[in-house]
Amino acid sequence: MISKAVIPAAGLGIRFLPATKAQPKEMLPVIDTPVIQYVVQECVDSGIEDILIISGKGKRSIEDHFDRNLELETKIQEKEDEVLYTQLRHIEDMANIHFIRQKELNGLGDAVFHARCHCGNEPFVVLLGDTIIDSVIPVTQQLIDTYEQYKQTIIAVEIVPRDKVTRYGITGGKQISDKLMQVDELIEKPEINKAPSNLAIAGRYILTPEIFDALEKTPRGKGNEIQLTDAMKLLLKHDNIMALTIEGKRYDIGNKMDFLKTTVEFALKRKEFAKPFKAFLRDIIDKPEKEQK
Ligand code: UTP
């Protein structure tokens, strides 16, 4: 059974500067909710309540967000706003959240390595703290269901357009069903004609404890960092890895364009904003450009 999740959230967020100079990118709001709260909710919706967040310098507000704020609670109680009060208490009570600091930013692989003591000998889920996946069945649940059947490392992948493979980590191998691939190759940002598929690693994984030994042996790779993909490549030499094509849509908030798209799409899905926001978008799109200035 899988009962633990690890959320790496220590990265610098260079692609989102200047917004991330003094605040974590994982705390950027999509409408009114920080990205990392969507990620924690995905764990909870998949039955996982033991969550380790890999934190670091400048990430204090993540801890504060999941902590109690008695002053705020009292003020909201005085205003008799039951809905808001319940929302606040939900954040504090949603899971057992633990934190460990990654003191030097040595990459995603190193961040995951910090979970060794916490996870011990158990398999666990990894969810990137800057990535939301919108789906009917939470992607973590989809991965857990597959793990329960095959008991091996499972990587969540999504289909990307052929001409975009150069931006992602791509999996290659034998397709054993519509959605499952037995992986024999992992390539980071391949050239279009060298990509073994158009299945891109989507920021969610189920890892077995063997990953820690692999990470220990993984030399620094791209960006002089310890890459999780490199450790999984080492693992592939003697372990099986599967790729599950997920049902859902991935939003990488660390990238400004994706952040904008996420905000618009999520606003259009929210009951209270959908109609007026759609009207507003129509209005500005239909207006001739010179009138918009
Ligand atoms: P990214 O590579 O997208 O994050 O890692 P980054 O390093 O912050 O990105 P840029 O290029 O500077 O904008 C994906 C997730 O892994 C975490 C990040 O916080 C993010 O949630 N991460 C990355 C760590 O926890 N530690 C690291 O050393 C690197």
Side-chain angles (χ1 to χ4, degrees):
M1 217 188 80
I2 296 200
S3 62
K4 290 186 161 76
V6 175
I7 305 180
L12 284 176
I14 288 173
R15 287 169 299 153
F16 221 117
L17 282 169
T20 45
K21 183 166 178 252
Q23 67 167 331
K25 70 173 160 180
E26 295 80 7
M27 285 299 291
L28 291 170
V30 172
I31 320 288
D32 52 7
T33 304
V35 173
I36 196 156
Q37 191 182 323
Y38 289 91
V39 179
V40 168
Q41 189 66 52
E42 182 187 323
C43 295
V44 175
D45 291 343
S46 308
I48 293 187
E49 287 179 5
D50 180 337
I51 298 169
L52 177 69
I53 296 182
I54 314 296
S55 169
K57 195 171 177 308
K59 302 280 179 168
R60 227 13 198 286
S61 58
I62 299 180
E63 285 181 48
D64 289 341
H65 184 70
F66 291 103
D67 196 3
R68 261 190 109 161
N69 185 333
L70 285 171
E71 209 180 332
L72 198 57
E73 278 174 25
T74 312
K75 276 273 177 263
I76 291 165
Q77 265 177 321
E78 280 166 14
K79 286 179 192 278
E80 293 180 6
D81 189 335
E82 271 301 311
V83 176
L84 198 53
Y85 182 75
T86 313
Q87 265 181 12
L88 268 196
R89 293 305 311 268
H90 166 72
I91 302 169
E92 302 151 8
D93 294 337
M94 61 198 294
N96 296 320
I97 303 183
H98 313 267
F99 294 89
I100 189 164
R101 281 172 83 95
Q102 185 187 14
K103 295 194 188 98
E104 276 178 50
L105 295 181
N106 290 323
L108 178 60
D110 179 60
V112 171
F113 191 70
H114 279 68
R116 187 174 212 168
C117 277
H118 190 82
C119 295
N121 229 2
E122 289 178 41
F124 56 98
V125 193
V126 171
L127 304 92
L128 298 191
D130 63 350
T131 299
I132 300 176
I133 302 185
D134 190 33
S135 58
V136 180
I137 300 171
V139 166
T140 292
Q141 184 67 62
Q142 296 176 35
L143 288 172
I144 291 174
D145 292 345
T146 312
Y147 177 83
E148 293 304 339
Q149 213 181 334
Y150 294 95
K151 307 277 185 219
Q152 51 182 275
T153 301
I154 320 270
I155 308 175
V157 291
E158 61 169 354
I159 299 168
V160 294
R162 266 272 159 200
D163 59 332
K164 305 254 160 50
V165 288
T166 51
R167 297 184 191 172
Y168 300 95
I170 300 291
T171 57
K174 189 166 171 258
Q175 208 64 41
I176 56 170
S177 72
D178 269 5
K179 288 193 295 184
L180 275 178
M181 171 190 268
Q182 194 68 61
V183 175
D184 59 27
E185 217 180 338
L186 290 164
I187 309 187
E188 205 47 61
K189 302 190 170 72
E191 290 170 32
I192 294 183
N193 55 358
K194 294 206 174 119
S197 76
N198 60 342
L199 296 176
I201 299 177
R204 301 285 187 268
Y205 314 77
I206 286 194
L207 300 175
T208 60
E210 284 73 31
I211 194 69
F212 296 121
D213 287 341
L215 280 165
E216 225 167 12
K217 291 183 201 129
T218 304
R220 284 173 186 272
K222 198 174 151 270
N224 200 29
E225 292 182 340
I226 312 231
Q227 300 293 346
L228 183 60
T229 310
D230 291 343
M232 287 194 296
K233 274 192 208 166
L234 279 185
L235 205 61
L236 255 185
K237 290 187 181 162
H238 48 82
D239 267 359
N240 290 325
I241 298 184
M242 273 180 163
L244 173 73
T245 305
I246 54 166
E247 280 169 31
K249 187 163 177 194
R250 174 195 192 200
Y251 299 90
D252 172 8
I253 309 296
N255 157 329
K256 289 178 189 171
M257 190 63 190
D258 258 28
F259 177 79
L260 284 174
K261 289 182 188 167
T262 313
T263 304
V264 172
E265 285 192 28
F266 277 51
L268 290 173
K269 278 187 224 168
R270 279 272 286 264
K271 245 199 327 228
E272 69 268 48
F273 301 124
K275 236 173 146 182
F277 192 55
K278 198 183 256 176
F280 164 76
L281 288 176
R282 280 224 176 89
D283 193 43
I284 53 170
I285 287 163
D286 290 346
K287 247 186 205 161
E289 251 174 60
K290 54 176 188 265
E291 266 183 55
Q292 287 179 26
K293 281 175 194 158

